[in-house]
Each structure stands twice: as structure tokens, then as C-alpha cells.
Amino acid sequence: MMKIVNFSCLWLMVLCLGTVYQGHAQEIKVNARLDKTSILLGDQTVLHLSAELPANGTVNFPLLADTLSAKVQIVSAGKADTLTDKNRPGLKLISRSYVITSFDPGLQMVPALTFQSGGKTFATEAQPLEVKAVAVDTTKAIYDIKQPLAVSYTFMDWLRDNWYWVVLGLAVLLLLFGVWYYFRKIRKPKPVVEKSVPLVPGHVIALEQLSALKEKKLWQQGEVKAYYSELTDIIRVYLEKRYLISAQEQTSEEILSGLEAVKMPEKSRNSLKEILLLADLVKFAKAVPAGHENEQSMDDAIGFIQETRMQDQLPGIASENKGGNKVQDENGLV
């Protein structure tokens, strides 16, 4: 009796487990459906994929790239959409749509597609797709459906399309006219009044500069090179105005060579030579003259200018010498 009861319980448990397994297997349903099962060559239709599963379940749709098969292409793919039914709150429906097409006439097949859920695979059924070729009447010549229409393009049409260029051109012309009117009518140039500047003889300028250099006391402060540089610059400028030579662009030897044909006291020539040579030693050989030599160079420069300046001359006015001949000043005026 006990054996019969145990066998009955065991059979009941197996039956319950089978029922539970069958219910689980039916929890997920997948489906594939075409909007149109027949299309023209190159036309499009929509493939709908859906999966029905428990509300707390998950499912992975098939991974589709750009083709379903060698002759069926995917044009675009939509996003997954989830729906719930109030009458069946424990279930949800997930769907996704694909626009597909084919350029090969004949009966094409949308293959079975597989879904993944909980380590199990669920497949849809293959869907037939008939692709019809377009009938062409080969007995007729190829011609346009309709001739293109001639459309007139008037000036007002062009003006509506390019009005901003017209406005910009008018603005530029208006701006140019405003500038011209301002400078020609409003802002008239003022007459330039030239002031007469009295000419100062070169020896006067040079003596004033030597006096100013002496007041600086450069060599007394150890700036011997600067002292001789400024001293020779004053003399070179004076020589250019007095004897019309390019003394500022020449070396000391070139200056002395150029003055050989110039008539001047021999004492003045020797003084100039000593000043230039001593200055070159200071500037290029880093010589350090004694204090009395620095003072002597200043005295020689002043004496040279005083002895070689133009005699009996007023600034900017031609004078006559004792012989009654006109004398040319350092600025070339007679």
C-alpha cells in the first residue's frame, strides 16, 4: 500500500515539473511579418520583428547589418518599441521594424531570424518575398516622359535673388561719395605757410656742439671712447659742410687723403690728423690717453674750426672778399 502511494506522488511531481517546463517554454514568442509579400523591382516593404515575453524578462534581437541575404538589402532600421497590454499585465511586446528592398527579380526569401533570451535561442519562420520585374516594351524607342518646360527669368526675378548684392553696391558707392565730398568740399586743405629759417654757418654750429661736449665732461667720467666718438662726429659734419666731402662715410685716412688738394694752413692739417689718429686709437685700439691729451684734442678741434672757417661771412648772405670776388659758404650759397 505504501509503495502505491509513493509511486503516485512521484508521478504527480513529474507531471508538475513537465507542466512548469512547458509553461516556461511558452513564455517567449517571436514573430516576423512583412507588410507586403510582393513588390516591384527596387520597391520597398517593411519587415516587422516582435518578441512577446514576461514583463521582467529580456531578449536580444537579431544583429542585422545592411543585408538579410545575398539578394535582400536593409534600407533603414527603426528603434525598438515596447508595448504592454492592460489585459495581460504580466507580459510585454517588443517590436522593431526594418525597411528592406531587393533588386533581383524572382522569389526571394527573408531567412529565419534568431532571438536570444536566458541562454536560449528562439527563431522566426522564413518569409517569402516576391520581387516582380518591370515590364519594358522593347518595340518602342526610348523617350522622355515629358519635355522640360521653358521658364522665363526676368530682371525682377534676378533682383529678388540678388537684392543683397545690389544693396551692398549702393552702400559702397554712397560711402565713396561721402569720403570724396568730405575731403573736397568740407575739409579743404589749409595753405602751408613756410617759415624762413635763417642759415647758420657750419663753424658756428660746430663750435656750439664742441662747447656742449666740453660741458658733458665725458672723459673725466671715464667715458673716453664716447668722448672721442662725439668729437670726431662734430668735425666730420663740419668738414662735409665746409669742404663738401662725404666725411661721415669715410675713414680717417680717406678724409686726410681727400683734403690733400684743399688749400688750408699746414698747422690746421696737422691738428686734424692728430685728432683723427688719436680718436682711432681710442675707438679701435682701446688706447687711454692722458688727461692733457684729451684737453689738447678739444683745443685742436676748436682751433681747426676757427682757422678754416669762411671769413667775413654773414649767415645765408653772399659776401665779397677783399679782392671783390664772391665767396661760397659751406651750404653752397654764393
Side-chain angles (χ1 to χ4, degrees), residues 67-83:
T67 59
L68 290 175
S69 66
K71 297 182 179 181
V72 180
Q73 293 83 36
I74 296 177
V75 178
S76 63
K79 295 182 179 180
D81 188 18
T82 302
L83 299 175

Side-chain angles (χ1 to χ4, degrees), residues 200-207 238-244 262-265 268 302-322 325-334:
V200 180
H203 71 274
V204 175
I205 297 175
L207 291 174
Y238 169 75
L239 290 174
E240 285 194 353
K241 293 183 178 181
R242 178 65 179 84
Y243 296 106
L244 304 179
V262 175
K263 184 179 180 181
M264 70 170 59
S268 300
I302 294 174
F304 173 79
I305 293 173
Q306 289 177 342
E307 292 169 0
T308 58
R309 68 184 178 87
M310 303 291 292
Q311 301 294 327
D312 300 330
Q313 179 187 5
L314 294 175
I317 301 176
S319 303
E320 294 185 357
N321 58 14
K322 293 181 181 180
N325 298 323
K326 290 185 178 180
V327 181
Q328 187 181 29
D329 65 9
E330 57 270 19
N331 294 295
L333 298 177
V334 294

Side-chain angles (χ1 to χ4, degrees), residues 39-276:
I39 61 174
L40 290 176
L41 185 72
D43 198 0
Q44 298 175 357
T45 186
V46 180
L47 172 65
H48 300 278
L49 298 182
S50 62
E52 185 181 273
L53 65 159
N56 58 351
T58 59
V59 65
N60 294 326
F61 273 62
L63 296 177
L64 303 178
D66 53 359
T67 59
L68 290 175
S69 66
K71 297 182 179 181
V72 180
Q73 293 83 36
I74 296 177
V75 178
S76 63
K79 295 182 179 180
D81 188 18
T82 302
L83 299 175
T84 57
D85 190 351
K86 294 181 180 180
N87 298 325
R88 304 169 67 189
L91 298 176
K92 63 181 178 181
L93 180 67
I94 303 176
S95 62
R96 191 172 186 181
S97 300
Y98 299 86
V99 179
I100 62 174
T101 187
S102 178
F103 297 93
D104 294 278
L107 183 63
Q108 312 299 340
M109 294 299 295
V110 176
L113 303 173
T114 57
F115 294 69
Q116 300 289 335
S117 178
K120 295 182 179 181
T121 300
F122 303 89
T124 64
E125 295 182 359
Q127 302 292 316
L129 176 64
E130 182 183 9
V131 182
K132 298 179 180 180
V134 179
V136 178
D137 189 354
T138 58
T139 62
K140 295 183 179 180
I142 299 175
Y143 59 89
D144 292 335
I145 297 175
K146 194 172 185 180
Q147 294 295 328
L149 297 176
V151 180
S152 60
Y153 192 71
T154 64
F155 174 75
M156 294 304 297
D157 296 329
W158 179 88
L159 191 60
R160 279 194 296 268
D161 294 338
N162 302 275
W163 63 269
Y164 43 88
W165 291 112
V166 177
V167 173
L168 180 61
L170 293 176
V172 171
L173 292 177
L174 185 61
L175 178 62
L176 293 176
F177 176 77
V179 173
W180 172 84
Y181 185 81
Y182 174 76
F183 284 101
R184 292 296 299 271
K185 301 295 182 180
I186 299 178
R187 188 180 177 182
K188 295 181 179 180
K190 297 180 180 179
V192 179
V193 180
E194 296 183 359
K195 297 181 180 180
S196 59
V197 179
L199 299 177
V200 180
H203 71 274
V204 175
I205 297 175
L207 291 174
E208 290 178 352
Q209 291 176 342
L210 289 174
S211 178
L213 175 60
K214 191 174 183 179
E215 292 297 327
K216 291 182 181 180
K217 297 183 179 181
L218 294 178
W219 68 265
Q220 292 91 333
Q221 301 175 17
E223 298 181 12
V224 180
K225 184 176 180 179
Y227 170 75
Y228 277 94
S229 295
E230 189 169 344
L231 177 64
T232 52
D233 287 343
I234 295 172
I235 295 176
R236 288 173 185 270
V237 173
Y238 169 75
L239 290 174
E240 285 194 353
K241 293 183 178 181
R242 178 65 179 84
Y243 296 106
L244 304 179
I245 62 174
S246 301
Q248 296 186 75
E249 301 175 359
Q250 295 177 347
T251 63
S252 299
E253 293 182 1
E254 291 173 342
I255 293 173
L256 295 174
S257 178
L259 292 176
E260 288 180 356
V262 175
K263 184 179 180 181
M264 70 170 59
E266 191 65 25
K267 178 182 177 182
S268 300
R269 193 183 303 274
N270 293 333
S271 297
L272 176 62
K273 182 176 181 181
E274 291 179 2
I275 295 171
L276 295 178

